[in-house]
């Protein structure tokens, strides 16, 4: 079957054809559309489609320009293009005679159009482009604020007629051995229907069956295309083969499918999927698999998101009634169904819209600068069109480079980064931006030119009238530029203040000189918690024996990451009433953890090697835990229970400082630290090793791997990195978005300075005879300097006032992205106002200083 381009692409192309005169469009649009459709259907990959769109855009713009130019005049009732070509040739010759003006105008337009197009490509890829699944508008995320167990996914589906199907999703870590060097593989546990919910079947083999969602039948796996190529050499015979893909419950699995190379996973970037399993008859009250972090569902035909949300709230009320200790009223209020695209975009949406608004303001400033240049030079409309086309072409070329830079610099967890590209809709947007920029940049000069021509018969009076209009228009344009610059710079300043506040926080532990990594032992070799404990004890012993290592310990969840374990907790003496039991963060550590990371004790003692399975069960809590449950009381000696009100108690033996476990920008929460040996869970741990002073942390990576493999050569060493970099990465998305807005702020400052310099030069040039007379009559240089500066800075002052008022409204869009900074932060507004005033004064100073140094004899002799 021949491939056909999507209908939306054809609609965009038909809109482009509207640029061509109607009679030409009626004669040739069918052929042009057929040719475009053929080229687009034959294009390979995103780059091929972008080339087709670029060619189509160029063809349409060229034909439109030539046809419209050829209709400027008619000879003998027949159309001729001679006059249009003559105008175009004249414009090009005129522009080559003023290369500096041409270069500045084209570069200014290219900068504005290119940055606007690149920003729109990010917004389009992340927020506007449909998700890469069939009928993506029917995909929703269920109750995003709540952790589910496996049974809840099935019961939510049964309780919601608006849903056709649903799948749970939980990130998981696997160990792959027997295929060369042992590998740690990021993966996911999903409901058997997962790929059918998304509407994407495997490229090879099959997906999971309903029977494979039962315990004992769940030892199957679907591989990503990347893992199939990397670990198995793209061997099709891997289907049906049992591989050593281990977790803590299964040590091998049968490969049943391989996903397509262009498949986009729902969350993160897993390389393998295995089924979530549930024993028959298990309901959500009896299911302890509380690690199903995400749910995706497909709406039934004709159903709406609102209907699904209402049914999820009803289901949440039922869950509250059945599990009051695990679900509370706040959880019920957060129950809903949300479009999957909205959830995937996450919290970056408001900032991206703010970035697009900021770059639009930068484009308007660029247009104002060009208008001022053309106004000062008195250029004609033909020049505007040619300059606009040149600037647009250069801007589109620039946008390709900018988009590549954005994709390269975006953090790894930035949503939908692979969907960011200069494609058909983006090129259509670039054309629209070019047309708008050309119109805006040439509108004021064109109006001024038409008025001057209308009064040309008045001779000198007409020229004087034009000069007066120019002298009024140019300051007005500068005032607009300054106001736009204030809005952009205030937004970038707020983000910069937010980032500064975030990264200045004390993480609560020492991150410098600490190497982290995760040895992930195969499940079959270490079947229980005691075996895991023995394995990690040997690894710690080997590491501490290395001469470059000062100390080593382990924790099941690495600080500085978003991963979390949280369980129902029953603190002694706290009346929980009939409400839900608080869920508190839990951390399992090995002896020496607090000492290795310099985590200070405020009371009591740390966990030691004597806190083993045969000793009294103990726990260390943080300050936030004490403040919440035992405020103003001595916590030492108190007890707490986890998981249930009748489980064995743990006695509090120490209190440690709060740690920003989830990285910068996230406040510490109540936490409990348990000795791994006492809980006996077969959890995978992160090792933290402090290097001795003067030792480059990662320089010992080889020795660290050898020490781990000396204990067990089949254990992969994954995630080897520095803890300081892990914490820095927690602010990467904020840092990236701040850099984007900061770039626009710098561009706004630059364009504002250029505008003020240009208008000052223009107005001072107009007033040269006046200054010459005043100097000849005895006026001093300071008096002339003050007069020139005063008139030049009046529109700047007006623009500052207007811009600060506009910024107070516009920056509210950033509120959700700011950390400990209000959108109305007075320090930011004062700093921006002072900076712009200083930049404007400096930009106006040179032309004004030149005016104060005029020679009156030369000025008067020229007059």
């Amino acid at each position: 079957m021949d491939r056909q381009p999507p209908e939306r692409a054809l609609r965009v192309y038909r809109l482009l054809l509207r640029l061509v005169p109607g009679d030409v469009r009626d004669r040739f649009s069918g052929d042009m559309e057929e040719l475009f459709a053929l080229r687009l259907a034959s294009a390979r990959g995103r780059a091929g489609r972008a080339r087709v769109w670029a060619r189509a855009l160029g063809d349409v713009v060229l034909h439109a320009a030539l046809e419209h130019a050829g209709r400027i005049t008619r000879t003998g009732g027949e159309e001729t293009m001679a006059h249009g070509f003559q105008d175009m040739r004249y414009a090009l010759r005129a522009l080559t005679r003023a290369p500096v003006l041409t270069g500045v105008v084209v570069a200014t337009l290219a900068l504005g159009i290119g940055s606007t197009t690149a920003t729109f490509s990010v917004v389009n890829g992340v927020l506007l482009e449909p998700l890469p699944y069939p009928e993506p508008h029917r995909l929703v995320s269920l109750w995003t604020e709540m952790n589910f167990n496996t049974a809840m996914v099935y019961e939510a589906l049964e309780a919601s007629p608006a849903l056709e199907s649903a799948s749970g999703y939980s990130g998981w870590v696997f160990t792959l051995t027997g295929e060369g060097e042992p590998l740690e593989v990021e993966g996911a546990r999903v409901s058997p229907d997962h790929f059918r919910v998304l509407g994407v079947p495997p490229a090879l083999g099959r997906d999971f069956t309903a029977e494979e969602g039962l315990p004992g039948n769940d030892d199957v796996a679907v591989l990503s295309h990347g893992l199939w190529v990397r670990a198995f050499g793209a061997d099709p015979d891997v289907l049906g083969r049992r591989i050593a893909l281990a977790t803590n419950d299964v040590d091998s699995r049968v490969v049943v499918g391989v996903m397509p190379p262009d498949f986009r996973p729902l969350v993160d970037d897993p390389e393998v999927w295995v089924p979530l399993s549930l024993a028959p008859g298990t309901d959500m009250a009896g299911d302890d698999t509380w690690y199903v972090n995400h749910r995706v569902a497909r709406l039934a035909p004709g159903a709406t998101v609102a209907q699904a949300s209402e049914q999820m709230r009803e289901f949440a009320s039922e869950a509250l009634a059945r599990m009051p200790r695990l679900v509370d009223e706040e959880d019920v209020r957060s129950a809903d169904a949300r479009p999957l695209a909205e959830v995937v975009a996450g919290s970056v949406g408001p900032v991206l819209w703010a970035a697009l608004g900021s770059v639009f303001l930068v484009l308007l400033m660029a247009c104002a600068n060009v208008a001022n240049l053309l106004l000062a030079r008195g250029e004609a409309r033909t020049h505007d069109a040619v300059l606009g086309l040149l600037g647009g072409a250069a801007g589109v070329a620039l946008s390709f480079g900018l988009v590549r830079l954005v994709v390269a610099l975006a953090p790894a967890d930035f949503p939908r980064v692979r969907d960011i590209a200069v494609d058909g809709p983006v090129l259509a947007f670039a054309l629209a931006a070019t047309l708008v920029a050309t119109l805006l940049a040439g509108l004021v000069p064109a109006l001024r030119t038409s008025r001057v021509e209308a009064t040309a018969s008045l001779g000198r009076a007409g020229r004087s009238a034009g000069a007066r209009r120019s002298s009024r228009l140019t300051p007005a344009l500068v005032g607009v530029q300054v106001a736009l610059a204030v809005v952009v710079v205030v937004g970038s300043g707020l983000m910069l203040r937010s980032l500064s506040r975030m990264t200045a926080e004390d993480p609560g532990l020492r991150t410098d000189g600490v190497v982290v990594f995760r040895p992930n032992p195969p499940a079959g070799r270490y079947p229980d918690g005691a075996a895991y404990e023995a394995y990690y004890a040997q690894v710690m012993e080997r590491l501490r024996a290395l001469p470059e290592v000062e100390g080593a310990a382990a924790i099941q969840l690495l600080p500085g990451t978003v991963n979390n374990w949280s369980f129902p907790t029953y603190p002694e003496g706290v009346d929980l009433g009939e409400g839900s039991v608080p869920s508190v963060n839990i951390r399992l550590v090995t002896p020496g953890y607090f000492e290795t990371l310099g985590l200070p004790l405020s009371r009591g003692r740390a966990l030691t090697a004597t806190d083993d399975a045969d000793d009294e069960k103990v726990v260390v809590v943080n300050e936030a835990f004490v403040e919440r449950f035992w405020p103003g009381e001595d916590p030492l000696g108190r007890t707490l229970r986890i998981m249930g009100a009748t489980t064995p108690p743990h006695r509090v033996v120490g209190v440690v400082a709060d740690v920003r476990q989830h990285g910068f920008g996230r406040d510490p929460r109540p936490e409990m630290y348990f000795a791994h040996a006492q809980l006996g869970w077969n959890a995978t741990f992160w090792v933290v090793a402090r290097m001795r002073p003067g030792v480059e942390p990662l320089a010992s990576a080889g020795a660290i791997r050898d020490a781990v493999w000396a204990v067990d050569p089949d254990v992969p060493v994954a995630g080897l990195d520095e803890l300081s970099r892990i914490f820095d990465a927690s602010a990467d998305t904020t840092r990236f978005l701040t850099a984007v807005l900061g770039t626009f702020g710098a561009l706004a400052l630059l364009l504002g300075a250029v505008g003020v310099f240009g208008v000052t030069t223009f107005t001072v040039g107009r007033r040269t005879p006046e200054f010459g007379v005043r100097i000849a009559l005895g006026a001093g240089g300071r008096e002339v300097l003050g007069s020139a500066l005063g008139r030049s800075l009046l529109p700047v002052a007006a623009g500052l006032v207007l811009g600060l008022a506009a910024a107070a409204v516009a920056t509210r869009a950033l509120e959700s992205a700011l950390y400990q900074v209000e959108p109305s932060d007075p320090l930011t507004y004062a700093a921006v106002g002072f900076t712009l005033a200083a930049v404007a004064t400096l930009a106006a100073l040179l032309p004004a200083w030149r005016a104060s140094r005029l020679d009156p004899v030369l000025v008067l002799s020229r007059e």
Side-chain angles (χ1 to χ4, degrees), residues 721-745:
D721 207 340
E722 297 182 54
L723 185 58
S724 58
R725 202 209 64 79
I726 298 294
F727 265 89
D728 285 344
S730 68
D732 275 354
T733 296
T734 300
R735 190 177 289 112
F736 172 72
L737 294 173
T738 301
V740 171
L741 288 178
T743 300
F744 297 150

Side-chain angles (χ1 to χ4, degrees), residues 55 131 165 282 289 329 418 460 557 658 662 747 797 806 811:
R55 182 174 180 180
L131 292 172
S165 55
T282 306
T289 61
E329 292 288 351
R418 288 186 292 180
R460 185 175 180 84
L557 296 175
D658 294 334
H662 301 299
L747 284 176
T811 52

Side-chain angles (χ1 to χ4, degrees), residues 432-729:
T434 300
L435 296 176
V436 170
T438 304
L439 177 63
L440 292 176
L443 183 60
V444 173
L447 291 175
R448 183 248 181 182
T449 301
S450 63
R451 289 173 180 172
V452 171
E453 289 174 351
T455 57
S457 59
L458 299 178
R460 185 175 180 84
R463 289 191 297 273
S464 299
R468 286 195 298 270
R469 292 188 182 96
S470 294
S471 65
R472 291 194 298 267
L473 286 170
T474 49
L477 288 173
V478 167
V480 170
Q481 279 186 289
V482 171
L484 296 176
V486 169
V487 176
V488 178
V489 179
V490 165
S492 60
L494 289 172
M495 287 294 293
L496 188 61
R497 283 263 291 157
S498 178
L499 178 64
S500 176
R501 288 276 184 93
M502 184 183 297
T503 54
E505 291 174 335
D506 181 5
L509 42 74
R510 290 177 57 193
T511 62
D512 57 297
V514 176
V515 173
V516 300
F517 62 93
R518 180 168 58 191
N520 194 349
R525 199 165 306 173
Y526 305 96
D528 54 35
Y532 266 79
E533 173 65 23
Y535 168 76
Y536 283 110
Q538 293 180 64
V539 171
M540 296 302 111
E541 183 180 356
R542 292 274 186 176
L543 286 175
R544 295 184 186 118
L546 295 176
E548 55 266 58
V549 174
E550 188 174 75
I555 184 170
Q556 102 281 15
L557 296 175
L558 187 65
T561 65
V562 298
N563 299 319
N564 193 56
W565 285 9
S566 179
F567 294 108
T569 302
Y570 301 78
E572 176 190 339
V574 177
D575 183 13
L576 300 178
E578 297 299 323
S580 61
V581 177
S583 187
V584 181
N585 292 354
I586 183 174
R587 301 289 181 262
L588 276 62
V589 298
T590 63
Y593 177 78
F594 302 127
E595 296 83 355
T596 300
L597 294 187
L599 213 168
L601 280 164
S602 57
R603 278 171 279 190
R605 68 171 177 87
L607 300 174
T608 66
T610 60
D611 297 319
D612 56 24
D614 299 324
D615 201 12
E616 177 192 18
K617 293 184 181 295
V618 296
V619 64
V620 171
V621 298
N622 68 346
E623 294 282 3
F625 186 100
V626 176
E627 181 64 27
R628 177 175 177 184
F629 297 111
W630 299 312
E633 303 178 25
D634 184 4
L636 298 182
R638 294 290 191 99
T639 62
L640 58 84
R641 304 170 190 266
I642 61 171
M643 304 299 290
T646 59
T647 57
H650 290 256
R651 182 172 60 89
V652 177
V653 296
V655 179
V656 295
D658 294 334
V659 173
R660 297 188 182 278
Q661 296 283 6
H662 301 299
F664 294 123
R666 296 174 176 87
D667 293 331
R669 303 174 182 176
E671 290 179 339
M672 306 171 290
Y673 295 87
F674 294 91
H676 179 222
Q678 291 194 333
L679 284 189
W681 294 352
N682 52 341
T684 301
F685 275 63
W686 282 87
V687 173
V688 294
R690 174 168 296 284
M691 312 309 288
R692 295 190 183 279
V695 176
E696 181 66 27
L698 294 182
S700 302
I704 289 173
R705 288 191 180 93
D706 290 342
V708 175
W709 289 335
V711 179
D712 189 333
D714 288 334
V715 173
V717 178
L720 190 65
D721 207 340
E722 297 182 54
L723 185 58
S724 58
R725 202 209 64 79
I726 298 294
F727 265 89
D728 285 344

Side-chain angles (χ1 to χ4, degrees), residues 795-811:
V796 172
L800 282 174
V801 173
L802 180 62
L804 289 172
V809 177
T811 52

Side-chain angles (χ1 to χ4, degrees), residues 233-606:
D235 182 6
D237 292 335
V238 74
L239 293 178
R241 175 179 156 193
R242 182 170 289 277
I243 60 175
L245 184 70
T247 55
N248 55 355
D249 55 347
V250 175
D251 58 7
S252 66
R253 296 181 184 271
V254 176
V255 177
V256 297
V258 177
M259 294 305 293
D262 57 351
F263 173 65
R264 302 294 176 86
L266 179 64
V267 180
D268 301 322
D269 201 8
E271 293 191 291
V272 63
W273 294 264
V274 304
L276 282 167
S277 59
L278 184 70
T282 306
D283 64 6
M284 62 181 177
D287 184 6
D288 61 358
T289 61
W290 289 97
Y291 46 69
V292 183
N293 310 111
H294 309 278
R295 278 77 51 196
V296 59
R298 184 170 287 274
L299 294 173
T304 66
V305 176
Q307 291 171 338
S309 288
E310 180 60 31
Q311 292 165 10
M312 283 305 300
R313 282 188 286 272
E314 294 174 0
F315 171 72
S317 297
E318 180 188 349
L320 172 63
R322 292 168 58 184
M323 302 182 297
R325 295 286 184 174
L326 298 173
V327 181
D328 59 24
E329 292 288 351
E330 184 176 348
D331 292 327
V332 174
R333 286 192 294 271
S334 70
D336 62 0
R338 295 167 55 192
L340 183 61
E342 177 184 315
V343 175
V344 170
S347 61
V348 305
V351 183
L352 288 183
W353 285 119
L356 186 60
S358 296
V359 79
F360 264 125
L361 298 185
V362 169
L363 177 59
L364 291 177
M365 293 181 67
C367 294
N369 263 345
V370 171
N372 260 334
L373 287 170
L374 298 178
L375 192 61
R377 295 279 182 168
E379 300 296 338
R381 290 297 301 275
T382 306
H383 297 61
D384 304 346
V386 175
L387 288 170
L389 287 174
L390 292 175
V396 170
L398 177 63
S399 70
F400 278 92
L402 290 176
V403 167
R404 289 182 181 177
L405 182 63
V406 166
V407 172
L409 296 179
D413 59 350
F414 196 78
R416 302 189 64 184
V417 67
R418 288 186 292 180
D419 291 330
I420 299 173
V422 180
D423 53 14
V426 174
L427 288 172
F429 174 87
L431 174 62
T434 300
L435 296 176
V436 170
T438 304
L439 177 63
L440 292 176
L443 183 60
V444 173
L447 291 175
R448 183 248 181 182
T449 301
S450 63
R451 289 173 180 172
V452 171
E453 289 174 351
T455 57
S457 59
L458 299 178
R460 185 175 180 84
R463 289 191 297 273
S464 299
R468 286 195 298 270
R469 292 188 182 96
S470 294
S471 65
R472 291 194 298 267
L473 286 170
T474 49
L477 288 173
V478 167
V480 170
Q481 279 186 289
V482 171
L484 296 176
V486 169
V487 176
V488 178
V489 179
V490 165
S492 60
L494 289 172
M495 287 294 293
L496 188 61
R497 283 263 291 157
S498 178
L499 178 64
S500 176
R501 288 276 184 93
M502 184 183 297
T503 54
E505 291 174 335
D506 181 5
L509 42 74
R510 290 177 57 193
T511 62
D512 57 297
V514 176
V515 173
V516 300
F517 62 93
R518 180 168 58 191
N520 194 349
R525 199 165 306 173
Y526 305 96
D528 54 35
Y532 266 79
E533 173 65 23
Y535 168 76
Y536 283 110
Q538 293 180 64
V539 171
M540 296 302 111
E541 183 180 356
R542 292 274 186 176
L543 286 175
R544 295 184 186 118
L546 295 176
E548 55 266 58
V549 174
E550 188 174 75
I555 184 170
Q556 102 281 15
L557 296 175
L558 187 65
T561 65
V562 298
N563 299 319
N564 193 56
W565 285 9
S566 179
F567 294 108
T569 302
Y570 301 78
E572 176 190 339
V574 177
D575 183 13
L576 300 178
E578 297 299 323
S580 61
V581 177
S583 187
V584 181
N585 292 354
I586 183 174
R587 301 289 181 262
L588 276 62
V589 298
T590 63
Y593 177 78
F594 302 127
E595 296 83 355
T596 300
L597 294 187
L599 213 168
L601 280 164
S602 57
R603 278 171 279 190
R605 68 171 177 87

